[in-house]
Amino acid sequence: GSSVNLSGQTVTLRFDLYQPTGDTLTSRPAIVWVHGGSFSSGTKTSPELVDQATEFGRMGYVSASITYRLEPTGCSASAPTP
């Protein structure tokens, strides 16, 4: 997908999909992984997310690690973004 950031630029939003291999089940529990970073940093390919999503895939879960819009000011309780 895509979305417009605070500067008016279109940002492409992607996700990485992790799933069990070698079976034929069509209905599985799912997890959506959202990296930390207060909307100012981070990535869907953070090593800890890749490790956890891969491990949950071995346990039978489908996982999606997502990208979201990042802004230099981010978002925090001490400096809310309008």
Side-chain angles (χ1 to χ4, degrees):
S2 64
S3 186
V4 177
N5 66 14
L6 291 178
S7 301
Q9 299 170 322
T10 300
V11 177
T12 300
L13 304 173
R14 299 187 181 275
F15 67 92
D16 292 342
L17 187 66
Y18 300 83
Q19 54 191 347
T21 57
D23 64 31
T24 58
L25 290 177
T26 58
S27 181
R28 297 197 161 278
I31 301 169
V32 177
W33 298 92
V34 182
H35 64 82
S38 298
F39 297 96
S40 66
S41 63
T43 175
K44 65 181 173 54
T45 58
S46 297
E48 66 277 6
L49 289 183
V50 172
D51 289 346
Q52 291 175 345
T54 300
E55 184 60 29
F56 273 90
R58 288 187 194 111
M59 295 188 297
Y61 291 82
V62 172
S63 293
S65 181
I66 68 167
T67 299
Y68 57 81
R69 291 171 291 173
L70 302 177
E71 296 294 338
T73 57
C75 179
S76 71
S78 64
T81 302

